[in-house]
Amino acid sequence: MKILVCISHVPDTTSKINFTDGDTKFDTNGVQFVINPNDEFGLTRAMWFKEKQGASVDVINVGGAETEPTLRKALAIGADTAIRVNTEATDGFSVAKQLAKVVKDGGYDLVIAGRESIDYNGGMVPGMLAAMTDANFVANCIGLEVDGTNAKAVREIDGGKETVSTSLPLVIAGQKGIVEESDLRIPNMRGIMMARKKPLNVVEPVATNSETTTASFEKPAPKGAVKLVDADNIDELVNLLHNEAKVI
């Protein structure tokens, strides 16, 4: 089985977020970037297939040279080859278009993408990629087994889970649950050393358009001051909720 894992290069969740150019662009200065957590779950599942079923695992990112350390980390975790499509990731459609070209050329049986990236939270790419490559698609995937060309997937739905049967080629939008958080892998020294020698191929992009553009970003309003009320002072709590917060 030939697996491709899509890796988004996202800011660490502890990063301080700012914008530039009139609040139209994300300010990357001083920001530490990591593998998108949803992609990390998918990569770990791909490594399980590699070790248990003999699959090959490639990873891919659409972005500039600054994303290569993130791809190297994926190689250190155990991926065989990394691919970087040498263009800026501008919107979901253009990213899916670039990925689709690589998927078609590479003849992948299974593409594992994260449900969404934690920076823009668009959640568009996996579904569009499946449509562009004529592959089956499972969203919000929290479990996956593959037997030959048949696949059984579990996806999260409102109030429960749904188990579906499908076949390869398949694109999934994975998330926490496809492996447990305790199973995530941290690169060890041997993996880091081996990653330096593994191929990281840079391919040029295909011509495409961005179907969406960012008009502006806006931060959430800062939290207001709080008043602490003694647990025994119910009258004061009711007074504040009624006369200040005006919620009762």
Side-chain angles (χ1 to χ4, degrees):
M1 181 166 54
K2 194 171 181 182
I3 303 174
L4 182 68
V5 181
C6 304
I7 299 292
S8 289
H9 172 78
V10 300
D12 187 281
T13 53
T14 60
S15 300
K16 188 175 182 180
I17 301 302
N18 289 302
F19 304 109
T20 62
D21 296 7
D23 291 336
T24 60
K25 290 186 177 180
F26 174 59
D27 184 1
T28 60
N29 289 321
V31 174
Q32 178 72 31
F33 283 84
V34 297
I35 297 175
N36 180 49
N38 286 315
D39 303 341
E40 200 168 4
F41 285 110
L43 176 60
T44 301
R45 189 61 183 167
M47 296 311 304
W48 187 92
F49 284 123
K50 176 181 177 180
E51 293 163 2
K52 303 294 183 182
Q53 299 185 199
S56 66
V57 178
D58 296 345
V59 293
I60 186 170
N61 170 264
V62 178
E66 71 279 1
T67 70
E68 292 189 2
T70 298
L71 286 172
R72 287 288 179 196
K73 181 180 178 182
L75 291 173
I77 289 173
D80 300 303
T81 301
I83 303 165
R84 180 172 67 81
V85 182
N86 188 30
T87 186
E88 182 182 1
T90 53
D91 75 336
F93 177 81
S94 62
V95 169
K97 198 76 178 294
Q98 302 301 338
L99 295 175
K101 175 68 164 56
V102 175
V103 171
K104 290 178 180 176
D105 290 348
Y108 290 96
D109 305 298
L110 173 64
V111 179
I112 301 177
R115 178 188 66 180
E116 61 184 1
S117 61
I118 63 165
D119 47 3
Y120 294 102
N121 303 101
M124 298 178 288
V125 171
M128 289 193 287
L129 176 59
M132 291 175 184
T133 56
D134 295 322
N136 295 317
F137 176 59
V138 177
N140 303 327
C141 187
I142 55 173
L144 180 65
E145 302 289 343
V146 177
D147 182 9
T149 59
N150 299 314
K152 180 176 288 186
V154 181
R155 70 184 190 96
E156 187 176 71
I157 59 175
D158 285 344
K161 304 175 182 177
E162 179 185 36
T163 300
V164 297
S165 295
T166 183
S167 60
L168 306 180
L170 173 67
V171 176
I172 68 162
Q175 62 183 66
K176 181 180 179 181
I178 196 166
V179 297
E180 297 301 322
E181 194 163 359
S182 58
D183 292 331
L184 293 176
R185 302 184 181 193
I186 299 173
N188 55 32
M189 184 54 67
R190 182 171 180 270
I192 293 170
M193 297 301 291
M194 291 179 64
R196 295 178 179 177
K197 299 179 180 179
K198 290 181 179 179
L200 195 162
N201 301 320
V202 179
V203 300
E204 292 305 314
V206 295
T208 186
N209 297 321
S210 295
E211 297 296 325
T212 56
T213 58
T214 300
S216 68
F217 293 105
E218 185 177 346
K219 292 183 179 181
K223 293 182 179 179
V226 299
K227 286 186 178 180
L228 298 178
V229 179
D230 189 274
D232 297 327
N233 195 350
I234 302 300
D235 290 342
E236 176 62 10
L237 176 61
V238 172
N239 175 56
L240 290 172
L241 292 174
H242 182 69
N243 295 311
E244 281 197 19
K246 300 184 185 303
V247 295
I248 59 174

